[in-house]
Each structure stands twice: as structure tokens, then as C-alpha cells.
Amino acid sequence: MNSFGLTDVGRRRTTNQDFVYISETPVGNLPNLFVVADGMGGHNAGDLASRYAVEQFLKSVKENPEENPVSIMEEAAEAANWETYQKAGTDPALFGMGTTLVAASVCEHTLYVGNIGDSRLYLIGDGIRQITRDHSLVEEMVRMGEITADQARVHPDKNIITRAIGVRGRARVDFFEEELRREDIILMCSDGLTNMVTDEEIQGIVKESRDLEDAARKLVAQANESGGRDNIAVVLVKPVMGEVKKC
């Protein structure tokens, strides 16, 4: 298994509220773990929310005796949500802070994914396929046929999300299970990438790059060249079939 991740402040922001975590080795009973979080809140609150939520997520994963990946990630997301929600109540400056979160683990040929918010996970092979579904106002409008996907990319309300970690006492997280193909590359990212770079451009950059680090840096550079209006987080993972044991 090979992986690479990075975050970038972008060209318009002064703080970086995106946070990534990468482990190709076991974390608790998960054989590997990859996380992207995009914080929201005031000047410091968004930065704290993403980092703190991931820390609490990891703490739960490490302590969980369960063996089912979905159960492990579901309990971890609930723990991260509750602890972040409680943390926000300790300081008026942190009121309303929250974060998106997308987490993934590969078990043999199967990819397990949990997400809340509008950070995304894609599979890139012969084409590019978004596995997660955005929890956002514009995505709801697309599903209801009120606007097109192209209109959603430039809609003035595209940054309004309908679910997040830490803003309520309970969190509703979506889970996905996908069989991996030999050629698949996993891309996890914040909306600082997808609001600036089209899916087709993303696929082209990843497929034409010499390795995962080269691809990640080129994706960030393209997002910045296209305006860099937000922080950018990118994690790329290339599983090696047969290398990761079954959960």
C-alpha cells in the first residue's frame, strides 16, 4: 500500500482549517486508516474542530474491541461528534464550531468509508467515481432536480452544509462499502479542491502523474491556480491487492 497526503492554506485564507491523517499500518483493529476533515467556525475554532475531532476519532478507534470496520468507524464518529460538541461549549469563542469528516480503511479487496459533510472520497481508475454523497444544501437541490451539478459548482450557497461533526449532540454519518479493482486509486479531499478543479481534471492529473506525491502536489497547485479560494486537503491511496489482510 502506498499513500500520500497534504493540506494547503490556499490563496484567500490566512488560517488552515483542513486536517489529514494517514496510517498504512493498523490503528486499533483497523488494518489502516485515512481521514480528511475540513473545519468550520471562527478564526481559531475551525482549525481546532478539525484537529480535535480527528484526535477523538482516533482515540475511539484505538480503544474499540470490535472487529467490524463499519461498527468501529460509526462509534468513532459518534465519539468525535460528542467530544467536539462538548468542547465547543467550554469557550464562547468556540461556539458553533464543527467539521466535515471522511474516513476510509482498506480490508483485503474491500474499501470501507464513512462520511459526514461535503469532503469527498473518489475512486479513480478507468474513470472517476464519487463514492460519498455531499451533505450540503446545493446537493439536496441537485437531487431534487432544482439545479444541475454544473450549476451547483458555482452556486452562491455551495458552502452551506447540512450535516457536520460537533454542531449537534448526535451525528448522522453515511457509510459505504466498495469492492476495489486492481487499478483503483483512492482520493479523499476537502471542497477546497473540488470547488476549484473538475472531476475530469482531477482524473487527468492523477493518471498522468508519476506517483501519488506528484499527483497530490499537482492537484493542490491546480486548485490554487484556479483561484485557491479555500484551504485544500488531499489524500491519495493506492492499495496493493493481497497485501492487506481481511478484517
Side-chain angles (χ1 to χ4, degrees), residues 63-83:
E63 295 174 351
N64 196 326
E66 291 271 355
E67 295 186 357
N68 181 280
V70 173
S71 296
I72 293 170
M73 288 196 287
E74 185 171 26
E75 289 186 27
E78 286 289 352
N81 180 77
W82 177 250
E83 294 298 333

Side-chain angles (χ1 to χ4, degrees), residues 87-104:
K87 184 74 171 177
T90 63
D91 185 339
L94 303 180
F95 179 77
M97 77 175 186
T99 183
T100 70
L101 188 142
V102 56

Side-chain angles (χ1 to χ4, degrees), residues 111-169:
L111 171 68
Y112 296 92
V113 185
N115 94 286
I116 182 167
D118 62 357
S119 293
R120 296 178 178 178
L121 184 145
Y122 292 88
L123 287 179
I124 300 173
D126 294 334
I128 180 169
R129 185 160 56 102
Q130 182 180 340
I131 303 302
T132 55
R133 293 196 299 177
D134 296 352
H135 302 135
S136 67
L137 180 62
V138 294
E139 182 63 21
E140 294 296 331
M141 295 168 70
V142 170
R143 289 176 197 164
M144 295 178 68
E146 297 177 6
I147 61 173
T148 66
D150 287 339
Q151 290 172 328
R153 292 190 72 248
V154 296
H155 196 280
D157 294 329
K158 66 177 180 294
N159 292 325
I160 298 176
I161 60 175
T162 54
R163 296 192 217 169
I165 292 285
V167 297
R168 294 184 178 88

